[in-house]
Amino acid sequence: MMKRIIWMISSLNRRIMKLLFALALIAYIAITGGAGFVGSHLTDKLMMDGHEVTVVDNFFTGRKRNVEHWIGHENFELINHDVVEPLYIEDQIYHLASPASPPNYMYNPIKTLKTNTIGTLNMLLAKRVGARLLLASTSEVYGVHPQNEDYWGHVNPIGPRACYDEGKRVAETMCYAYMKQEGVEVRVARIFNTFGSRMHMNDGRVVSNFILQALQGEPLTVYGTGSQTRAFQYVDLVNGLVLLMNSNISSPVNLGNPEEHTILEFARLIKSLVVSRSQIQFLPEAQDDPQRRRPDIRKAKMMLGWEPVQVPLEEGLNKTIQYFSRELEHQANNQYIPKPKAARMKKGRPRHN
Ligand SMILES: O=C(O)[C@H]1O[C@H](OP(=O)(O)OP(=O)(O)OC[C@H]2O[C@@H](n3ccc(=O)[nH]c3=O)[C@H](O)[C@@H]2O)[C@H](O)[C@@H](O)[C@@H]1O
């Protein structure tokens, strides 16, 4: 009997200890842009890890559909808010809000600039609540090859991409100014080309364009000769964001997949995975299109123990192809079949949607 009582007490203790331990690890987290493509995957991860998550989104490129499965969960909150207006929130802020696809960010360059500048300033006011901020920056801050964190970049301040690349550059500057002057804890992730489910049908980036074109039997639109390169990572990138947020590394860290392909190779790969009879169509080169992009991820590997190995390229593409097939079915049932947005731009002319 006595043994049984001791066993019951110690098992109860273990449970209480577990509960207390779990409670101590729970963070109050805000994700700006949390209903977007990357943001919604990050929301899933943090919700699954048991945190309290507030998604902040103005639904310019984000969609409620991406996070609707969490609505009603006691740890989840969804706020329709534009970061250009202040908001005082939470222990940790993942600041992802910004259009990220070239046709989207060029559609309204002033809004892109405001989101990345005023929006970032507003989130840095987090100093008032002592929150730590992780900025989702971009490989576009580099402009040209090579891309290791020490390279300072070479971008065109008055070109069509400037609203995004300069916007992110100044966002990084703001983070470090607030860190030095006000003691705000900052983390900066320089994210390289990312793809996966929940990209918008009209996203306009190369992966969604090629997959939708291949699925619909339409020509795959290669801008320029297709010899420009990119290195694509699946959206399991979000594990890297969480590791970075919880590390003590305040300097910028590249997160990407170093496996580099030409865009033409990539078009052929998608065509073969979809088993599509689409042709490849060459269109004029986009203005200021970076010609080579491949991340140096030694820092992420060494300091975070992160590398994008969980979902290899072809497996990630197959998952994304399945996602877009379902999206096309969904749209067909809604009597509307969208076409990928014409994302190309003639040299010397602004790209509009
Ligand atoms: O992920 C990154 O590192 C950054 O770069 C991307 O910009 P970009 O690489 O130009 O993205 P895409 O629009 O997907 O273009 C990739 C390449 O494919 C080409 N492309 C794009 C679309 C298309 O239909 N055909 C085509 O050949 C583009 O000209 C470009 O050379 C994203 O816009 C940014 O969100 C991100 O910060």
Side-chain angles (χ1 to χ4, degrees):
M1 184 66 182
M2 198 57 192
K3 259 191 184 169
R4 199 173 157 75
I5 291 170
I6 292 172
W7 178 82
M8 275 170 69
I9 291 172
S10 67
S11 124
L12 200 66
N13 273 347
R14 272 201 304 274
R15 279 185 198 176
I16 290 171
M17 286 307 287
K18 257 190 184 168
L19 188 70
L20 288 177
F21 190 63
L23 281 175
L25 291 179
I26 288 175
Y28 291 85
I29 296 171
I31 309 174
T32 75
F37 154 53
V38 174
S40 63
H41 285 277
L42 180 62
T43 300
D44 286 355
K45 163 145 184 69
L46 295 170
M47 284 295 294
M48 297 296 284
D49 289 348
H51 298 293
E52 296 261 354
V53 176
T54 304
V55 163
V56 180
D57 209 297
N58 69 352
F59 304 109
F60 173 49
T61 57
R63 287 179 299 171
K64 285 188 191 135
R65 254 182 85 193
N66 290 342
V67 289
E68 68 183 356
H69 45 287
W70 294 117
I71 291 173
H73 191 290
E74 59 182 0
N75 289 357
F76 180 77
E77 207 170 327
L78 178 61
I79 303 180
N80 185 339
H81 180 89
D82 192 320
V83 291
V84 167
E85 305 297 332
L87 186 71
Y88 302 113
I89 34 175
E90 315 303 359
D91 295 345
Q92 294 189 339
I93 302 170
Y94 289 86
H95 181 37
L96 274 61
S98 170
S101 135
N104 284 333
Y105 66 64
M106 290 181 204
Y107 172 72
N108 191 340
I110 297 176
K111 182 70 180 170
T112 304
L113 273 166
K114 279 186 172 170
T115 304
N116 281 296
T117 54
I118 303 172
T120 303
L121 265 183
N122 280 334
M123 293 307 112
L124 283 163
L125 295 180
K127 66 176 184 178
R128 298 198 188 160
V129 287
R132 176 181 289 184
L133 179 129
L134 180 145
L135 171 71
S137 186
T138 171
S139 64
E140 297 222 18
V141 300
Y142 295 117
V144 292
H145 204 63
Q147 284 122 23
N148 64 55
E149 291 88 347
D150 298 331
Y151 181 64
W152 290 354
H154 179 87
V155 296
N156 175 359
I158 56 169
R161 301 178 90 97
C163 59
Y164 186 68
D165 54 40
E166 294 285 25
K168 291 288 187 189
R169 286 171 66 87
V170 77
E172 288 195 9
T173 309
M174 284 171 173
C175 285
Y176 292 108
Y178 270 78
M179 183 176 95
K180 285 190 192 117
Q181 198 175 322
E182 303 283 352
V184 175
E185 286 194 33
V186 299
R187 304 287 179 263
V188 173
R190 291 188 179 150
I191 303 173
F192 284 65
N193 296 66
T194 308
F195 70 94
S197 60
R198 303 191 193 148
M199 291 182 93
H200 200 288
M201 283 277 210
N202 289 340
D203 183 278
R205 272 176 284 191
V206 71
V207 178
S208 47
N209 274 9
F210 283 177
I211 292 180
L212 283 168
Q213 289 161 341
L215 285 170
Q216 295 178 100
E218 293 189 352
L220 271 63
T221 51
V222 170
Y223 305 155
T225 59
S227 59
Q228 69 272 35
T229 68
R230 293 292 186 274
F232 293 97
Q233 70 182 324
Y234 190 64
V235 68
D236 59 355
L237 141 89
V238 297
N239 298 324
L241 294 178
V242 174
L243 283 171
L244 177 60
M245 173 66 103
N246 295 298
S247 74
N248 56 6
I249 307 167
S250 56
S251 55
V253 179
N254 285 344
L255 295 178
N257 183 352
E259 196 185 314
E260 187 178 4
H261 292 275
T262 69
I263 292 301
L264 187 56
E265 275 165 19
F266 202 63
R268 293 190 178 127
L269 174 63
I270 290 186
K271 225 170 89 78
S272 75
L273 292 175
V274 173
V275 197
S276 164
R277 291 159 64 145
S278 294
Q279 304 289 312
I280 290 182
Q281 183 185 13
F282 291 92
L283 294 175
E285 186 185 325
Q287 189 186 340
D288 291 350
D289 196 4
Q291 290 304 297
R292 267 197 86 183
R293 191 179 287 153
R294 175 179 183 271
D296 178 337
I297 59 162
R298 279 174 295 179
K299 187 169 174 184
K301 266 190 191 168
M302 244 166 48
M303 300 182 80
L304 299 176
W306 177 86
E307 54 183 322
V309 287
Q310 282 192 336
V311 181
L313 183 66
E314 291 199 9
E315 189 186 330
L317 283 173
N318 280 328
K319 284 178 186 232
T320 315
I321 291 166
Q322 279 166 23
Y323 169 79
F324 278 117
S325 307
R326 286 195 303 271
E327 283 289 280
L328 282 173
E329 264 169 42
H330 176 84
Q331 300 285 358
N333 294 338
N334 287 304
Q335 318 264 305
Y336 167 64
I337 300 180
K339 302 239 183 298
K341 186 183 281 180
R344 75 195 174 86
M345 176 179 53
K346 285 201 178 131
K347 264 195 161 165
R349 287 217 204 137
R351 174 150 58 171
H352 290 298
N353 291 359

